[in-house]
Amino acid sequence: MLIQKLVEKNKITANEGEQLEKELKEDYKGSEEDFLLFKRIIDEKELNDIKSEIFNIPVFPGDETLEIPNETLALIPEESARFYKIVPLSLEGSNLKVGTADPQNFKAKEALNFLGRQHNLSGEMYLLSPRLFEEYLKQYSNLKEEVNKALSQLETELDKSGDIEIFGEGQAPSSKIEKPIDEAPIIKMVGVILRHAVEGKASDIHIEPEEKQLRVRFRMDGTLYSSLFLPIHTHPSIIARIKILSNLRIDETRIPQDGRFSAKINEKEIDFRVSTLPTKLGEKLVIRVLDPTEGLRTYQEIGLINTNLDLIREAVEKPFGLILATGPTGSGKTTTLYSILQELNKPEYNVITLEDPIEYFIKGVNQSQIRPEIGYDFSNGLRHVVRQDPDIIMVGEVRDEESASLVTHAALTGHVVLSTLHTNNAIGVVPRLIDMKIKPFLLPATLNIALAQRLAHRLCPYCKEKVKATKEFEKLILKELSDLPEKARTGLNLAPPLYVYKPVGCPKCNMKGEKGRLGIFEILKMTPELEAIIIEEPTEQRITVEAKRQGMVSMRQDGLIKALSGEVSVEEVLRISEEF
């Protein structure tokens, strides 16, 4: 509907509209709105204007700085707001302004009419962008306020329950309460922490005992932030609650434990992976937040563009061969492999994974959890997987000579094999495999591509500022991109003066100037020339010469291209690529 409207308004041609509709149907798994914004066909304001015209509803003139009074929010309960996709914006006399991100929701109009009759109000409906709607929904809850309410209830219960004992070194302070307290406040407190982690797009939650307080930290975009401090006497109850959810032993505090649980938060199924660790002050607990909407992304969403995107698509279309993602821990390798798996996951293929641990569940993929403690490791698991008539195999990591040999032979015998390896860059993959006793003559027939990556902080799209590059940066950019392949220059303007973008900071990014992370990649593909080098003299120096000959875009070049398009800052690109 929106693409057709863009054609009618001559924003795009009919041919462009047909191509976009085809791409939306075949390659994109989100909504038409998200697709158009992602492709930058239109911006948020243009999208709202078009929807306003289609559905005959005015666009709300406010922005994310609007503070909705609590008494106004109370007119529509949070559960109803999420169900009907409406949020109260302001109340002036008997006139209630309500925002919606879904103007086609007729039930929302019925709910608004009912609300008007119940409170003797007249309602006005306004159009909100999905982003602004989600921002306003967050005003229903405040982390500290919600936890403080639960704490107040808990203090009341503690007053009824008696004193708390303090234990000596090696045991958690307050690890025993004389009488049982009501669990309701603790259950609510844990639920609030989990929900705010999901809404804040945190990847991890750290719950750590200190001498006089319990610290809760969220890791967001790779950085840990202290989000909450709780009384130390809540520590044993919070740890016990999470252990119960994860089916862990609550009476075992001397050794680490690992577990997992799932919860439905804001209509999304979220997995939480739990790890406990005994410390001097008591058990520390870390929860990995596994949100499928964040972890399962398309190629474009993780940052694969132009030449690199073409190389990935070419490699996955081959009937067999090895695709290796390399980089340090936390560089996004697993997310990239999941993106490839989603592309390969078709009914006609038998897709099997060996993972430790399983991070995200993918419908239609047979995912198997490795358990080394009972002898079910990657090597043992891979021997059994090849007997399961697989077409595509993903092995979490090539860790040793045995697993390297097994993935190589699996790729040789007609399977597409995905895995990860620890090397500094794509060029180091071949020497590393040879170090792991893989015979050089096997590699040309086995390895399709070696992909290396890092994660860069993405500039906040709402406050980034376009500035003229300094002479130093301009000289560096032109030098680094001077030998860029012609295909990778598409859309680039390298004529001085060059313009780049810098972080500023706004409420949407918590004044950081950065929001989310983006992959920076380099991909080395197997060619006849590389095959000859591997057979004759597989040194990194000779492989580097071949990489340049085949037009490999280096990680620094890929980062600078993204810096010129305003996705990351030049400083961030230099930071993550300085080791190369």
Side-chain angles (χ1 to χ4, degrees):
M1 183 187 298
L2 293 173
I3 293 175
Q4 293 174 1
K5 194 68 176 178
L6 288 172
V7 173
E8 291 174 14
K9 296 173 74 67
N10 294 319
K11 295 281 186 180
I12 57 176
T13 66
N15 287 338
E16 288 172 333
E18 289 178 8
Q19 183 60 36
L20 286 171
E21 287 182 339
K22 181 180 178 182
E23 191 174 340
L24 171 64
K25 183 178 179 181
E26 296 178 357
D27 298 330
Y28 197 80
K29 298 184 180 180
S31 67
E32 187 179 16
E33 292 181 27
D34 292 340
F35 175 71
L36 292 173
L37 290 172
F38 172 75
K39 296 288 287 185
R40 298 182 181 177
I41 306 299
I42 52 176
D43 58 25
E44 194 175 84
K45 182 181 182 304
E46 290 173 316
L47 176 62
N48 272 354
D49 289 341
I50 291 174
K51 288 175 66 178
S52 174
E53 183 180 330
I54 293 173
F55 300 109
N56 193 28
I57 178 174
V59 177
F60 184 63
D63 57 23
E64 71 285 342
T65 60
L66 173 71
E67 292 188 13
I68 306 171
N70 288 335
E71 56 269 24
T72 303
L73 287 171
L75 290 170
I76 301 178
E78 182 178 0
E79 294 78 9
S80 299
R82 292 187 181 278
F83 179 78
Y84 292 111
K85 298 195 185 307
I86 57 175
V87 61
L89 302 171
S90 67
L91 179 62
E92 299 172 6
S94 62
N95 182 37
L96 176 65
K97 293 182 178 179
V98 175
T100 180
D102 185 9
Q104 298 183 82
N105 190 337
F106 295 107
K107 289 184 178 181
K109 296 175 183 177
E110 292 175 3
L112 184 58
N113 291 335
F114 173 78
L115 184 69
R117 292 193 300 271
Q118 189 177 35
H119 296 280
N120 197 25
L121 299 172
S122 60
E124 287 183 60
M125 191 81 82
Y126 286 85
L127 181 66
L128 300 174
S129 68
R131 176 191 60 80
L132 199 55
F133 175 74
E134 290 297 330
E135 288 295 322
Y136 289 158
L137 275 184
K138 291 178 183 177
Q139 296 195 31
Y140 274 103
S141 59
N142 176 281
L143 177 60
K144 291 180 180 177
E145 285 181 10
E146 289 193 72
V147 170
N148 284 338
K149 287 179 184 178
L151 277 174
S152 298
Q153 186 180 348
L154 180 60
E155 295 300 333
T156 303
E157 297 298 334
L158 284 172
D159 288 341
K160 300 174 184 176
S161 302
D163 296 330
I164 302 168
E165 289 188 6
I166 306 298
F167 285 75
E169 183 175 319
Q171 291 180 293
S174 319
S175 62
K176 183 179 178 183
I177 298 175
E178 284 293 315
K179 298 176 185 178
I181 63 172
D182 186 357
E183 291 184 350
I186 291 296
I187 292 173
K188 182 175 181 182
M189 202 178 301
V190 170
V192 168
I193 291 170
L194 296 177
R195 177 159 56 81
H196 277 268
V198 172
E199 290 179 348
K201 301 186 185 304
S203 61
D204 300 89
I205 307 166
H206 290 239
I207 300 175
E208 326 171 277
E210 298 181 339
E211 287 190 6
K212 296 182 179 179
Q213 60 190 359
L214 181 65
R215 179 171 65 168
V216 179
R217 294 192 288 173
F218 292 163
R219 185 179 295 280
M220 293 182 283
D221 298 335
T223 304
L224 271 173
Y225 297 94
S226 293
S227 302
L228 193 65
F229 291 94
L230 300 171
I232 191 62
H233 65 70
T234 63
H235 173 240
S237 299
I238 287 176
I239 297 296
R241 171 61 183 162
I242 296 170
K243 280 185 169 183
I244 290 169
L245 289 172
S246 311
N247 199 28
L248 301 178
R249 288 183 58 185
I250 61 174
D251 61 338
E252 179 57 82
T253 61
R254 301 164 299 170
I255 59 174
Q257 297 186 70
D258 294 310
R260 190 171 188 145
F261 68 94
S262 300
K264 194 169 187 177
I265 297 178
N266 297 342
E267 302 303 316
K268 291 194 294 186
E269 290 287 344
I270 310 294
D271 287 325
F272 298 94
R273 199 173 73 219
V274 177
S275 173
T276 71
L277 181 74
T279 72
K280 178 180 178 180
L281 296 174
E283 283 186 287
K284 171 182 171 159
L285 193 144
V286 175
I287 306 173
R288 171 62 59 88
V289 182
L290 301 172
D291 183 347
T293 60
E294 294 298 315
L296 300 178
R297 303 183 180 186
T298 64
Y299 291 149
Q300 292 86 351
E301 287 171 339
I302 63 175
L304 283 165
I305 58 173
N306 300 341
T307 305
N308 287 338
L309 180 58
D310 292 340
L311 286 172
I312 283 283
R313 285 180 167 159
E314 179 185 324
V316 299
E317 286 175 3
K318 293 184 177 180
F320 65 91
L322 182 58
I323 296 173
L324 280 178
T326 184
T329 301
S331 60
K333 302 185 297 295
T334 302
T335 300
T336 298
L337 292 188
Y338 273 116
S339 296
I340 296 173
L341 271 185
Q342 288 187 99
E343 292 290 320
L344 292 172
N345 184 20
K346 298 175 182 177
E348 59 267 31
Y349 295 144
N350 178 20
V351 185
I352 303 178
T353 74
L354 293 172
E355 303 176 62
D356 184 22
I358 296 172
E359 300 233 350
Y360 300 98
F361 294 110
I362 306 177
K363 186 178 180 181
V365 174
N366 302 287
Q367 296 172 267
S368 183
Q369 169 73 52
I370 293 300
R371 299 192 183 279
E373 68 275 10
I374 59 172
Y376 184 47
D377 56 16
F378 282 119
S379 299
N380 191 23
L382 193 51
R383 289 192 186 92
H384 290 281
V385 163
V386 293
R387 299 173 195 152
Q388 288 284 315
D389 186 30
D391 297 293
I392 297 150
I393 303 169
M394 187 182 95
V395 181
E397 184 182 348
V398 175
R399 293 183 175 178
D400 49 34
E401 294 178 9
E402 187 178 14
S403 56
S405 175
L406 287 167
V407 297
T408 301
H409 282 89
L412 278 172
T413 53
H415 306 100
V416 174
V417 181
L418 314 176
S419 193
T420 66
L421 188 69
H422 287 287
T423 65
N424 202 38
N425 51 35
I427 289 165
V429 168
V430 170
R432 177 71 179 126
L433 289 173
I434 293 173
D435 285 343
M436 298 176 86
K437 310 301 181 187
I438 301 301
K439 291 182 170 52
F441 70 85
L442 292 176
L443 286 177
T446 304
L447 184 65
N448 286 344
I449 57 168
L451 176 151
Q453 66 180 92
R454 298 292 187 277
L455 289 178
H457 288 96
R458 192 193 294 261
L459 288 171
C460 174
Y462 308 108
C463 65
K464 64 184 178 184
E465 182 182 348
K466 187 176 182 179
V467 296
K468 187 177 179 180
T470 64
K471 290 294 182 183
E472 180 185 1
F473 277 171
E474 186 174 283
K475 183 179 178 181
L476 182 146
I477 292 169
L478 291 174
K479 179 184 176 183
E480 290 287 343
L481 300 184
S482 60
D483 59 349
L484 198 65
E486 192 62 36
K487 189 174 182 181
R489 292 174 178 264
T490 305
L492 273 183
N493 180 11
L494 296 178
L498 298 183
Y499 288 86
V500 293
Y501 295 77
K502 70 175 186 178
V504 177
C506 67
K508 297 173 190 174
C509 59
N510 293 323
M511 307 309 295
K512 294 186 296 182
E514 297 168 331
K515 194 176 179 70
R517 289 188 291 176
L518 182 72
I520 305 296
F521 300 91
E522 66 180 25
I523 300 178
L524 177 71
K525 71 174 181 177
M526 185 58 63
T527 60
E529 291 81 2
L530 180 57
E531 179 179 347
I533 290 170
I534 292 172
I535 300 300
E536 295 166 7
E537 187 186 357
T539 63
E540 287 202 16
Q541 184 177 4
R542 290 197 65 188
I543 296 172
T544 301
V545 172
E546 163 56 17
K548 289 182 178 179
R549 187 208 64 79
Q550 66 178 241
M552 184 184 83
V553 177
S554 71
M555 262 189 275
R556 176 167 283 195
Q557 288 176 327
D558 188 44
L560 290 174
I561 291 170
K562 288 164 181 169
L564 290 174
S565 66
E567 295 191 86
V568 296
S569 67
V570 176
E571 291 87 349
E572 177 70 358
V573 174
L574 298 181
R575 180 187 70 81
I576 65 172
S577 62
E578 63 185 356
E579 60 195 90
F580 308 124

